[in-house]
């Protein structure tokens, strides 16, 4: 029962009877932008008209719909200058499931001994806590750097990453959920080098980054290197309910993952695969929506939230916002001895508002300092309605005043 599931079950339980009376600032769902919705509606209708019977009324190959595999190869080779072919690609029911498949395959007992799942850049996505079938999760906390004016950032603890032994998989979101942090090229190179020295797989989850959806700023493009599996998602690009993700990596790794998927879920939804294939083949329309619709929306939301924190949080509060210019979340560090993320969660529930406790994003660490730091953090979603965001941050300020009194 990961922190992610605890929150989702709690939200479902308390909002089932009166959903309109609650503000959900814990939501991971992207904002339903009209231009993006219209774009996908058009392509789904095309899929329905093209071959509903063949797509939705029959099974297909576990690797993915051939037309989508071809579209992915062409799209990434043209836009990122890669040299992949269909053997490097598979389609799955969401990038989180693809990360889980790789974690299940390459961690645990092996001929080389017990192999662990390593999260090298905490805080990181709370769902990764369950990305292995084994109990050998290792989380490496990042160093905290304060930059003044209520701002801070995380930097990779390079020495701790380099000391890691017995890894099977290194897994990181880039840009990160919850912070929107993008790994630098040097940080990403360190992770890949350390993983390679241990014959471990590096997984980069690009669910928020390039080339789509581009919600957060990416300083480093997805790495096309041996021993690296890149995962991409169409959830934050407007199709969260269709559960469609893409894995691109070494052919032998992808082959293992296809077998796993074939033996469990058979394949990803085929109607959505066809719609995505047509979207990728539609020139640069998807890229134009990313740059012209998605990115401006989250830039404006991030800036609005930053202003609201200054207006609504207590003036004498030592609060710090993770650096950025856009992203799907705001990540706050409340550096006060009386602050506790779970108590804040309860106080916000009393105010009919959901946020996500920061400690859920520090899975696998035993560092007392990191545990304490996580306990003093909170994630705020920026994809809710603007009125909800304004009211929710006002309620946050009220709850903090109660905690401080």
């Amino acid at each position: 029962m990961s922190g992610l599931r605890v929150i989702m079950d709690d939200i479902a339980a308390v909002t089932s009877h009166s959903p309109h009376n609650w503000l959900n600032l814990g939501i991971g769902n992207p904002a339903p932008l009209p231009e993006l919705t219209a774009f996908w509606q058009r392509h789904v209708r095309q899929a329905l008209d093209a071959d509903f019977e063949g797509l939705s009324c029959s099974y297909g190959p576990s690797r993915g719909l051939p037309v989508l595999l071809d579209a992915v190869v062409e799209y990434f080779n043209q836009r990122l200058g890669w040299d992949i072919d269909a053997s490097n690609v598979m389609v799955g029911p969401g990038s989180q499931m693809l990360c889980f498949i790789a974690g299940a395959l390459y961690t645990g007992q092996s001929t080389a001994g017990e192999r662990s799942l390593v999260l090298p850049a905490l805080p990181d996505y709370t769902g990764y806590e369950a990305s292995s079938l084994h109990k050998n999760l290792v989380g490496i906390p990042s160093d905290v750097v304060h930059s003044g004016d209520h701002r801070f950032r995380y930097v990779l603890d390079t020495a701790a990453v380099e000391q890691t032994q017995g890894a099977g998989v290194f897994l990181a979101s880039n840009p990160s959920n919850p912070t929107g942090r993008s790994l630098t090229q040097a940080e990403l190179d360190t992770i890949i080098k350390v993983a390679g020295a241990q014959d471990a797989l590096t997984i980069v989850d690009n669910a928020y980054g390039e080339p789509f959806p581009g919600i957060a700023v990416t300083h480093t493009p997805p790495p096309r290197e041996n021993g690296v599996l890149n995962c991409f998602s169409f959830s934050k690009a407007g199709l969260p309910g269709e559960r469609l993700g893409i894995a691109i990596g070494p052919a032998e790794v992808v082959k293992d993952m296809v077998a796993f998927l074939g033996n469990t879920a058979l394949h990803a939804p085929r109607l959505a695969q066809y719609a995505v294939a047509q979207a990728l083949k539609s020139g640069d329309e998807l890229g134009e929506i990313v740059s012209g619709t998605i990115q401006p929306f989250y830039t404006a939301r991030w800036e609005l939230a930053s202003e609201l924190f200054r207006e609504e949080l207590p003036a004498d509060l030592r609060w710090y916002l993770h650096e950025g210019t856009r992203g799907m979340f705001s990540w706050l560090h409340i550096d006060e001895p009386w602050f506790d993320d779970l108590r804040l969660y309860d106080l916000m529930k009393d105010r009919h508002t959901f946020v996500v406790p920061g400690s859920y994003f520090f899975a696998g660490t035993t560092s007392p300092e990191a545990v304490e730091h996580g306990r003093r953090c909170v994630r705020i979603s920026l994809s809710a309605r603007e009125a909800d965001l304004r009211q929710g941050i006002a309620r946050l300020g009220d709850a903090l005043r109660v905690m401080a009194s």
Side-chain angles (χ1 to χ4, degrees):
M1 200 58 178
S2 66
L4 173 69
R5 295 303 322 167
V6 169
I7 294 291
M8 292 180 70
D9 287 356
D10 205 7
I11 291 173
V14 302
T15 62
S16 58
H17 300 296
S18 56
H20 301 297
N21 296 330
W22 287 80
L23 304 180
N24 191 349
L25 301 187
I27 190 170
N29 202 84
L33 306 178
E35 299 90 341
L36 193 56
T37 299
F39 173 79
W40 288 117
Q41 282 179 330
R42 174 160 50 85
H43 286 293
V44 170
R45 288 193 188 102
Q46 290 176 353
L48 285 167
D49 294 339
D51 187 12
F52 175 77
E53 182 177 349
L55 293 168
S56 290
C57 302
S58 64
Y59 296 122
S62 296
R63 183 180 292 271
L65 205 63
V67 66
L68 178 53
L69 298 177
D70 292 342
V72 169
V73 168
E74 181 179 0
Y75 189 92
F76 280 84
N77 284 348
Q78 288 184 353
R79 283 164 176 76
L80 297 184
W82 287 4
D83 58 349
I84 61 173
D85 58 39
S87 69
N88 301 116
V89 183
M90 72 169 291
V91 182
S95 62
Q96 182 170 335
M97 181 63 180
L98 293 169
C99 291
F100 170 78
I101 290 174
L105 286 171
Y106 297 111
T107 63
Q109 192 61 43
S110 74
T111 56
E114 192 77 12
R115 308 295 294 271
S116 60
L117 172 67
V118 178
L119 307 181
L122 296 181
D124 214 336
Y125 179 46
T126 176
Y128 294 157
E129 183 179 356
S131 287
S132 172
L133 292 171
H134 312 281
K135 300 294 184 181
N136 49 358
L137 177 66
V138 176
I140 302 177
S142 300
D143 293 328
V144 178
V145 177
H146 286 94
S147 49
D149 194 29
H150 292 293
R151 294 288 188 271
F152 82 105
R153 70 180 186 276
Y154 294 109
V155 297
L156 191 75
D157 187 343
T158 301
V161 172
E162 291 176 339
Q163 293 169 10
T164 305
Q165 299 292 327
V169 169
F170 284 77
L171 170 59
S173 58
N174 187 45
S176 162
N177 173 0
T179 66
R181 160 197 183 185
S182 176
L183 294 169
T184 66
Q185 190 63 61
E187 290 174 331
L188 195 53
D189 288 345
T190 294
I191 295 170
I192 295 172
K193 180 180 179 181
V194 172
Q198 301 178 51
D199 196 27
L201 179 68
T202 298
I203 306 175
V204 181
D205 186 353
N206 302 277
Y208 295 86
E210 293 183 9
F212 46 79
I215 286 179
V217 176
T218 306
H219 299 309
T220 53
R224 174 69 179 126
E225 298 188 31
N226 291 332
V228 176
L229 181 78
N230 281 284
C231 293
F232 304 89
S233 172
F234 287 93
S235 293
K236 305 308 184 289
L239 290 177
E242 297 304 319
R243 310 309 306 134
L244 204 63
I246 298 169
I248 302 177
E252 62 274 17
V253 171
V254 173
K255 182 180 178 181
D256 288 347
M257 294 176 65
V258 170
F260 188 110
L261 182 63
N263 287 326
T264 52
L266 191 56
H267 56 67
R270 282 161 55 80
L271 190 70
Q273 288 189 58
Y274 187 92
V276 167
Q278 300 311 307
L280 293 180
K281 293 164 62 177
S282 63
D284 200 33
E285 190 177 4
L286 180 57
E288 291 171 356
I289 289 179
V290 168
S291 61
T293 299
I294 298 177
Q295 291 177 353
F297 174 84
Y298 285 102
T299 297
R301 281 299 175 85
W302 201 93
E303 292 174 349
L304 172 62
S306 300
E307 294 175 4
L308 292 174
F309 291 135
R310 291 185 180 277
E311 294 173 3
E312 301 291 350
L313 301 191
D316 58 348
L317 183 72
R318 290 186 297 179
W319 63 270
Y320 300 93
L321 175 66
H322 191 273
E323 289 182 350
T325 55
R326 67 173 185 265
M328 194 168 158
F329 310 105
S330 287
W331 178 255
L332 286 173
H333 174 213
I334 311 297
D335 192 14
E336 299 285 356
W338 45 260
F339 182 80
D340 180 87
D341 61 337
L342 296 181
R343 183 173 179 232
L344 175 69
Y345 179 77
D346 288 335
L347 288 172
M348 292 297 283
K349 277 181 62 178
D350 291 342
R351 290 157 177 76
H352 280 210
T353 303
F354 280 105
V355 295
V356 182
S359 52
Y360 290 156
F361 299 89
F362 285 81
T365 181
T366 57
S367 163
E369 294 81 9
V371 171
E372 179 67 14
H373 175 82
R375 190 179 62 82
R376 296 186 184 181
C377 293
V378 60
R379 192 191 79 176
I380 308 292
S381 173
L382 304 180
S383 60
R385 295 185 310 140
E386 181 177 331
D388 290 351
L389 183 63
R390 289 180 178 276
Q391 190 173 6
I393 292 178
R395 293 178 183 180
L396 173 66
D398 178 63
L400 289 171
R401 291 182 181 88
V402 171
M403 295 180 74
S405 63

